[in-house]
Amino acid sequence: MTVPSPPPPLSHWARLRAALPARLVLRRLAGTLGLLLVLSVAVFALLRLAPGDPARTLLGTRGATPEALASVRAAHHLDDPVAVQYGHWLTTALGGDLGTSIRTGETVAAALGDRLALTGQLVLAGFAVALLLGLPLGVLAGLRARSATDRAVQSLGVLALSTPAFAGGLVLIYVFSLMLGWLPAYGPGTGGADRLAHLVLPGVTLGLAVTAVLLKLTRAAVVRELGREHVTFALARGVPTRTVLLRYVLRGAVVPVTTGIGLVLAYLLAGTVLVEQVFALPGLGQLLVQSVTFKDVPVVQAEALLIAALVCLANLVTDLTHPLADPRLRTVKGQR
């Protein structure tokens, strides 16, 4: 009697296709696009419902004569029904034309493109700080649950969460820039190592604000996994504690922590508004504040949708990584 040979191991591409079927990816992508469409309608409607005449807002400091108002309304289709206005704006936006800034006169796409790189670097710096602090402290608090170490770590998390970004930034500037002279306080730097030095304090300020969120999620996930029956059974059988932690506890805690990382990215994008103001960084957050103050409707509308798109993209990536992290969530043929 011949023993059948085991099937050959699947390639990385085959395992990826098994974990993420095309149907699942397309369904998640369609849901994200639908959400973006709803958000675009909401942003467009809210800006149209804002007090004041859009034509006068678009004219800015120029003379709002009847002829000028009529010209602006005709150019921006303001006399059309709101649904027609939205359709025209959506068509031009999908074609890459986001309009022209009232405040500067440059195209909105150019204004966003010039500042997107700096904000992206700031978000990455804050994300690195949150990961380096939140994950290890969360694991430590979970392993030492209900101990003095756990209480101390959670107290630090509450302190970081309750400290306003502008207050924390000013304290960091006073200590590390004015007193010690180690790091620059303001501005984006000239690039390279100088840009990196200028992003340290803003990145720490931004990252500390969300470290507590990641810390609490990690701690809760570790505590939950430590209470599972298979972990208790493995420890009772004499499996080394390190092996149990790496193979069962931390691996099982990946999914909720991954969900928290998507939430952290959304918080980081929202937090750039205050942090860029404190450290005088010409990024998207500072541009949004200036545009709202000046009532620069085209820039506010485009930037609000850009931030919403980035948050939706982060959530989409997080959603698609769940089946890769947890085999129990993978789609089986004939299900879903």
Side-chain angles (χ1 to χ4, degrees), residues 216-226 249 252-254 256-257:
K216 283 186 170 295
L217 288 172
T218 306
R219 178 192 177 278
V222 170
V223 170
R224 182 171 57 251
E225 292 300 320
L226 284 173
V249 177
V254 166
V257 172

Side-chain angles (χ1 to χ4, degrees), residues 36-177:
L36 284 176
L37 183 62
V38 172
L39 289 174
S40 68
V41 173
V43 170
F44 187 89
L46 288 175
L47 289 175
R48 291 304 180 274
L49 292 175
D53 185 0
R56 293 182 182 274
T57 302
L58 290 171
L59 281 174
T61 58
R62 292 170 288 179
T65 62
E67 294 78 10
L69 290 173
S71 177
V72 169
R73 289 193 179 99
H76 294 273
H77 305 274
L78 296 178
D79 292 328
D80 297 334
V82 176
V84 176
Q85 294 182 41
Y86 172 76
H88 181 268
W89 171 81
L90 183 62
T91 303
T92 56
L94 291 176
D97 183 10
L98 299 175
T100 303
S101 171
I102 302 170
R103 186 171 58 89
T104 63
E106 65 178 333
T107 62
V108 175
L112 296 180
D114 293 340
R115 297 168 181 260
L116 182 60
L118 179 59
T119 298
Q121 293 168 2
L122 176 59
V123 169
L124 288 177
F127 186 59
V129 171
L131 286 181
L132 292 175
L133 294 178
L135 292 181
L137 290 177
V139 172
L140 177 62
L143 296 178
R144 305 286 182 85
R146 292 176 292 279
S147 67
T149 302
D150 180 25
R151 289 191 291 271
V153 170
Q154 292 200 69
S155 298
L156 291 176
V158 172
L159 178 62
L161 185 62
S162 59
T163 302
F166 67 89
L170 293 177
V171 171
L172 291 177
I173 290 173
Y174 179 75
V175 174
F176 293 99
S177 183

Side-chain angles (χ1 to χ4, degrees), residues 61-324:
T61 58
R62 292 170 288 179
T65 62
E67 294 78 10
L69 290 173
S71 177
V72 169
R73 289 193 179 99
H76 294 273
H77 305 274
L78 296 178
D79 292 328
D80 297 334
V82 176
V84 176
Q85 294 182 41
Y86 172 76
H88 181 268
W89 171 81
L90 183 62
T91 303
T92 56
L94 291 176
D97 183 10
L98 299 175
T100 303
S101 171
I102 302 170
R103 186 171 58 89
T104 63
E106 65 178 333
T107 62
V108 175
L112 296 180
D114 293 340
R115 297 168 181 260
L116 182 60
L118 179 59
T119 298
Q121 293 168 2
L122 176 59
V123 169
L124 288 177
F127 186 59
V129 171
L131 286 181
L132 292 175
L133 294 178
L135 292 181
L137 290 177
V139 172
L140 177 62
L143 296 178
R144 305 286 182 85
R146 292 176 292 279
S147 67
T149 302
D150 180 25
R151 289 191 291 271
V153 170
Q154 292 200 69
S155 298
L156 291 176
V158 172
L159 178 62
L161 185 62
S162 59
T163 302
F166 67 89
L170 293 177
V171 171
L172 291 177
I173 290 173
Y174 179 75
V175 174
F176 293 99
S177 183
L178 298 181
M179 289 184 59
L180 301 177
W182 291 353
L183 295 166
Y186 302 106
T190 57
D194 187 52
R195 170 64 62 84
L196 183 61
H198 279 79
L199 286 176
V200 172
L201 292 183
V204 171
T205 303
L206 185 62
L208 285 178
V210 296
T211 295
V213 178
L214 194 57
L215 186 155
K216 283 186 170 295
L217 288 172
T218 306
R219 178 192 177 278
V222 170
V223 170
R224 182 171 57 251
E225 292 300 320
L226 284 173
R228 304 245 184 219
E229 293 182 355
H230 65 279
V231 174
T232 304
F233 181 70
L235 291 173
R237 288 184 57 195
V239 179
T241 304
R242 182 178 179 181
T243 303
V244 174
L245 292 178
L246 293 177
R247 182 173 298 179
Y248 301 114
V249 177
L250 296 183
R251 186 177 181 181
V254 166
V255 174
V257 172
T258 304
T259 305
I261 288 177
L263 183 63
V264 163
L265 288 175
Y267 280 142
L268 290 174
L269 286 171
T272 57
V273 176
L274 281 177
V275 173
E276 288 180 1
Q277 289 294 110
V278 172
F279 291 93
L281 296 175
L284 292 177
Q286 189 182 87
L287 176 64
L288 182 60
V289 173
Q290 295 172 350
S291 301
V292 170
T293 303
F294 197 82
K295 296 183 180 180
D296 197 343
V297 176
V299 176
V300 174
Q301 188 167 263
E303 188 167 352
L305 288 177
L306 175 61
I307 294 175
L310 293 176
V311 173
C312 289
L313 179 61
N315 289 330
L316 175 63
V317 173
T318 301
D319 196 18
L320 292 179
T321 55
H322 284 174
L324 298 177

